[in-house]
Amino acid sequence: MKPTEAASRYFKIEAVKALDDNHLRHSLRGAMDGLMSKRRATLANEEELQRLRTVCEGIRQHALSRLPELLEQLEDKLTELGVHVHYAEDKQEACTIIHQIAQAHEAKLMVKGKSMVSEEIHLNEFLAEQGVEAVESDMGEYILQLAHEKPTHIVMPAIHKTKDQVSELFHEHLGSPLTDDVDELIRVGRSALRDVYRQADLGLSGVNFAVAETGTLCLVENEGNGRLSTTVPPVHIAITGIEKVVAQLSDVVPLYSLLTRSAIGQNITTYFNMITGPRRHQELDGPQEMHLVLLDNGRTQAYADEQMRQTLQCIRCGACMNHCPVYTRVGGAAYGTTYPGPIGEIISPHLMGLDDTHDLPTASSLCGACAEVCPVRIPIPDLLIRLRTEAQRSPNEVVPHPIRGQGAAHSVSEQMAWRLFAGVSSHAFGYRLATQMATRLRALTPKRQLGWTQNHVPLRPAAKTLHQMVKEKNNT
Amino acid sequence: MSQAKERILTKLRQAQAHSVAHPDVGAYYQDMGAQWGSDLERLRHWADTMRAVNTQIVWVTEANWLAQLTQILADHEIKTLAVPNQTMASQKIQAALAVDAPKTQCVVANQALEACKTEWFNDVDAGFTEVRCGIAHTGTLLLWTSAQEPRALSLIPPLHIALFDTQTLYNDFYSAMQALAMPAGMPSNVVLVSGPSKTADIQLTLAYGAHGPKDLIVLALLPDDIDPTLLGAQP
């Protein structure tokens, strides 16, 4: 499916389809249970976990509080090292910058390490239209590229695919024999991509942490594809959101520790790659030229509001989606956005506007599991409620930091209903009258109650109000 | 200043974010950093953690590491070994292999990758690197790029052999960063390596050798006062 701006508009329709897919639900359940138990095992020491969360939350909040200065410090450091730094306000600008770099090198082939930001700007599609082929090198992303699909999880992009499906894809596209041996499938993928690293004119990567103090770009990975993509091609382009900066090199130590354990329950990944500029004098490998693209694309909107700014603390571990009862049942594709799950529900409205995403903040039971596991303590449920409020707010209401698409879900009748409820509930006489009426007329309760009765028995008022029951109890 | 940069920074500054204090990362590691009863326990933890992710640890001494390396090359039928350019270890390896393993050809990393990319990808069976230091807590090796020791050595060949002086083992990444004074002088590339390349991207099934080395063998150099048998090694 070609990504569209408005894919997330159809979340409710896509969620219903996903719920009907028993295979998807079964495989997601198993995968998420495994990830949750691994995370629990590596974060079993509660004191350590809470202190580490406090440190990491502090590092992210400190960096965000000084974001403009740190961006300038990062740029100065990188420039000193010979890295070209670019700022892009939106996805079109980011794609254009990358294409211009490709043009300057007459590049036809790009090999890509994992980068959610490049997904966010639909870079592959843009480059393809300009005649530049971009090949994903993360094994999961490569599988999805062959399947013409998009990642459904930010850490494990192809989590919804079975080995049989991968085998069929490799058989169809790479001519390998059908097999259910995962080692053999990995060997096939490895072999196909090795030629790409060797031949690529450009290598592109994301960034997990950008260090202002030293100009170091940090990449977290297990496969080595990120190292190959940033080492072998003559030009390395890194792309990241403006929020990924941290002040000091030592800040990455606790962040990295909590990232890997929260994400996949590993104490450490196979590789932690710290790149500080291009190849230096007399060095024999590494890129000869290096670029960093710093992308806004709605992040400054989140930054403008003190509460919403907490969204930008995210270190992209995906723990919130692993623990989310909604994500676990519908999977990532239903969201129609680059970032699915709870983090997607709070960041996508800033990247895409509420017009296209106003259903997403409602894709939560507000159970709080996401906030409980968030390594940097983003209060996701609070932000979801705030976004629901902004989507319901009148588009004409003037507020200090309006969100693009404010009022996208505004409904006069719903507003009236809530006002009526608030009015009745806040006056003793009105409340008593309403509850007494409800208990007396309970037999008239409709059997169908919007979406609720699809999976639940109808809600019915109790035979007696709480006040009546308390009164009776006190009299006995 | 580009217009995009100016606009982005202006929007960020207009938010007038309240200053938040920087947390004391050092204090956290002082209180919560990994500790062991003895150097031996620490070394055993490091080795066990590396072995848990498919790394082969070979305890060696200054006197026997070259012989052990020769044996490994023979066991793995390595035809071509890439070595760093003009380091002490590299020179010793070249001299030793010429005598003890004439079937293994040594390729010295002394030319730019562009000039030998095809050879690196197709013909080099193993790469040898030295290790700047180890990290006990996570079972990790820290590699430090230099003009003598390019990144390709630990990245492109299917087998990575690393020589690690166990006296440079630190408790955790934070201690290693402080000891190496990393913020004061980062090379173009530092990489922490904790096992051979792996992936679980297909149905969450773990498989090694996704893109980088399929195998990692560490020649862990022990000081004379540590008996390798205490670490579970054969005498």
Side-chain angles (χ1 to χ4, degrees):
Chain A
M1 184 184 78
K2 192 173 176 183
T4 61
E5 289 295 311
S8 55
R9 274 186 195 160
Y10 306 108
F11 173 76
K12 286 184 176 169
I13 298 167
E14 295 301 320
V16 170
K17 282 189 213 163
L19 286 171
D20 279 341
D21 185 342
N22 284 335
H23 175 76
L24 176 74
R25 289 183 64 177
H26 179 74
S27 66
L28 277 170
R29 180 78 269 164
M32 296 305 126
D33 285 349
L35 287 167
M36 286 193 286
S37 93
K38 280 185 184 170
R39 177 190 167 276
R40 265 198 307 275
T42 52
L43 292 168
N45 181 336
E46 187 62 21
E47 188 196 352
E48 184 211 8
L49 171 62
Q50 296 311 331
R51 283 200 60 183
L52 193 53
R53 286 177 85 193
T54 302
V55 168
C56 290
E57 180 189 17
I59 288 169
R60 292 299 299 131
Q61 287 185 342
H62 168 262
L64 288 172
S65 77
R66 295 187 51 221
L67 188 55
E69 299 99 284
L70 291 182
L71 282 169
E72 288 197 302
Q73 189 187 350
L74 175 71
E75 182 184 358
D76 289 346
K77 247 332 180 193
L78 287 169
T79 308
E80 227 173 80
L81 291 161
V83 180
H84 305 269
V85 179
H86 312 263
Y87 287 77
E89 282 192 280
D90 56 28
K91 53 184 100 176
Q92 176 70 30
E93 196 168 9
C95 284
T96 305
I97 289 165
I98 292 169
H99 178 234
Q100 282 170 348
I101 299 166
Q103 274 184 315
H105 293 273
E106 298 180 357
K108 292 290 171 207
L109 180 62
M110 168 189 280
V111 65
K112 288 179 66 200
K114 198 164 184 324
S115 158
M116 293 308 290
V117 174
S118 75
E119 296 289 341
E120 182 185 322
I121 63 172
H122 306 314
L123 179 66
N124 292 7
E125 294 77 9
F126 182 93
L127 290 178
E129 284 168 13
Q130 316 299 323
V132 180
E133 185 187 4
V135 179
E136 299 291 346
S137 63
D138 174 270
M139 199 60 80
E141 300 237 8
Y142 180 60
I143 290 164
L144 294 183
Q145 192 172 31
L146 294 180
H148 304 291
E149 290 178 27
K150 289 285 165 189
T152 61
H153 189 283
I154 62 174
V155 178
M156 281 150 301
I159 199 158
H160 58 292
K161 287 271 181 226
T162 64
K163 56 187 172 184
D164 292 334
Q165 290 171 323
V166 175
S167 176
E168 280 164 26
L169 273 171
F170 282 2
H171 175 68
E172 183 189 338
H173 293 273
L174 306 174
S176 59
L178 290 170
T179 176
D180 62 357
D181 181 345
V182 170
D183 285 327
E184 177 58 18
L185 291 169
I186 294 298
R187 194 197 61 74
V188 171
R190 173 190 173 98
S191 170
L193 284 163
R194 287 225 132 197
D195 282 340
V196 179
Y197 298 121
R198 192 165 53 82
Q199 291 165 9
D201 307 299
L202 308 170
L204 184 129
S205 74
V207 176
N208 289 96
F209 315 112
V211 184
E213 179 186 25
T214 56
T216 302
L217 306 181
C218 303
L219 293 174
V220 177
E221 61 154 339
N222 275 318
E223 296 187 5
N225 66 305
R227 288 184 71 200
L228 282 157
S229 300
T230 58
T231 296
V232 181
V235 181
H236 170 206
I237 305 169
I239 181 165
T240 186
I242 51 173
E243 78 279 21
K244 287 288 185 75
V245 187
V246 294
Q248 298 175 9
L249 193 64
S250 57
D251 290 343
V252 304
V253 181
L255 287 173
Y256 175 43
S257 172
L258 204 43
L259 169 62
T260 58
R261 292 194 277 173
S262 302
I264 42 178
Q266 274 181 228
N267 278 326
I268 194 165
T269 48
T270 301
Y271 300 116
F272 184 60
N273 193 5
M274 306 172 82
I275 301 167
T276 310
R279 178 187 309 192
R280 294 185 189 167
H281 182 58
Q282 290 190 327
E283 285 186 352
L284 302 168
D285 63 9
Q288 292 161 15
E289 187 177 308
M290 203 174 143
H291 298 259
L292 174 67
V293 181
L294 292 161
L295 178 70
D296 174 355
N297 198 31
R299 288 163 172 82
T300 46
Q301 175 185 276
Y303 190 83
D305 183 286
E306 198 174 340
Q307 187 186 21
M308 291 296 185
R309 193 177 305 143
Q310 296 170 99
T311 309
L312 303 177
Q313 285 169 215
C314 178
I315 55 171
R316 305 286 189 270
C317 69
C320 59
M321 58 191 72
N322 300 345
H323 290 75
C324 174
V326 177
Y327 177 90
T328 305
R329 282 159 181 80
V330 302
Y335 292 78
T337 49
T338 304
Y339 306 96
I343 184 61
E345 290 156 23
I346 59 170
I347 200 166
S348 301
H350 298 289
L351 308 183
M352 303 167 71
L354 277 167
D355 283 327
D356 284 340
T357 59
H358 62 82
D359 273 346
L360 297 181
T362 68
S364 168
S365 61
L366 300 181
C367 68
C370 48
E372 199 174 308
V373 297
C374 177
V376 287
R377 295 207 180 100
I378 301 173
I380 297 174
D382 295 347
L383 300 180
L384 289 170
I385 291 168
R386 171 71 191 283
L387 286 164
R388 291 179 189 185
T389 306
E390 298 307 325
Q392 279 289 343
R393 194 188 292 282
S394 165
N396 302 321
E397 190 179 333
V398 178
V399 292
H401 304 293
I403 294 178
R404 186 156 57 96
Q406 173 186 312
H410 181 68
S411 152
V412 175
S413 55
E414 196 171 328
Q415 293 289 325
M416 293 286 286
W418 283 115
R419 269 187 210 147
L420 182 65
F421 176 78
V424 166
S425 303
S426 54
H427 292 90
F429 174 73
Y431 182 77
R432 231 176 357 252
L433 185 66
T435 50
Q436 281 173 9
M437 290 289 283
T439 55
R440 281 175 194 168
L441 300 176
R442 61 196 285 268
L444 302 176
T445 309
K447 289 204 169 77
R448 290 191 178 189
Q449 296 170 353
L450 302 174
W452 176 259
T453 42
Q454 281 172 12
N455 300 300
H456 301 82
V457 293
L459 294 169
R460 204 170 175 211
K464 291 177 184 173
T465 67
L466 178 65
H467 283 186
Q468 281 174 312
M469 287 194 286
V470 171
K471 203 172 176 182
E472 283 172 15
K473 191 181 172 200
N474 288 341
N475 288 339
T476 55
Chain B
M1 192 191 284
S2 77
Q3 286 185 336
K5 175 183 170 183
E6 195 175 338
R7 281 198 285 260
I8 290 169
L9 293 181
T10 302
K11 282 188 220 169
L12 293 176
R13 290 200 172 101
Q14 278 171 349
Q16 295 184 317
H18 298 296
S19 177
V20 174
H22 190 273
D24 191 342
V25 178
Y28 169 79
Y29 280 98
Q30 197 168 13
D31 293 349
M32 304 302 292
Q35 301 287 335
W36 287 270
S38 68
D39 286 353
L40 204 63
E41 273 180 41
R42 186 173 67 159
L43 199 50
R44 203 177 281 133
H45 174 89
W46 167 83
D48 289 346
T49 310
M50 289 221 83
R51 285 194 190 108
V53 286
N54 234 26
T55 304
Q56 188 185 338
I57 309 288
V58 181
W59 302 113
V60 297
T61 62
E62 191 59 51
N64 73 3
W65 74 266
L66 277 167
Q68 294 275 19
L69 172 65
T70 310
Q71 188 60 50
I72 289 164
L73 297 175
D75 292 346
H76 288 77
E77 297 177 4
I78 299 299
K79 290 186 185 129
T80 309
L81 172 72
V83 295
N85 184 27
Q86 294 183 337
T87 64
M88 192 75 84
S90 168
Q91 286 167 359
K92 284 182 183 173
I93 292 170
Q94 288 171 71
L97 294 194
V99 177
D100 300 327
K103 286 184 183 167
T104 301
Q105 185 200 348
C106 250
V107 175
V108 179
N110 59 7
Q111 52 181 336
L113 183 63
E114 293 73 48
C116 50
K117 240 187 227 186
T118 304
E119 185 187 354
W120 272 99
F121 274 92
N122 296 345
D123 304 330
V124 178
D125 303 314
F128 173 91
T129 66
E130 289 178 66
V131 172
R132 185 66 183 257
C133 71
I135 297 169
H137 179 51
T138 48
T140 301
L141 308 172
L142 188 148
L143 306 184
W144 193 273
T145 295
S146 67
Q148 285 71 40
E149 199 164 280
R151 307 169 204 200
L153 285 168
S154 62
L155 179 60
I156 300 178
L159 170 62
H160 173 203
I161 303 170
L163 180 63
F164 165 49
D165 181 349
T166 57
Q167 292 186 85
T168 64
L169 182 64
Y170 296 99
N171 285 2
D172 49 41
F173 186 17
Y174 186 79
S175 322
M177 188 177 277
Q178 299 303 309
L180 299 178
M182 285 171 66
M186 285 291 278
S188 62
N189 190 228
V190 169
V191 62
L192 307 191
V193 177
S194 307
S197 156
K198 69 179 178 200
T199 184
D201 268 353
I202 301 179
Q203 216 174 300
L204 285 181
T205 307
L206 185 61
Y208 287 93
H211 297 279
K214 291 177 185 170
D215 295 296
L216 171 62
I217 300 175
V218 184
L219 299 173
L221 194 63
L222 293 172
D224 293 337
D225 61 335
I226 292 188
D227 179 355
T229 55
L230 297 172
L231 292 158
Q234 293 298 318

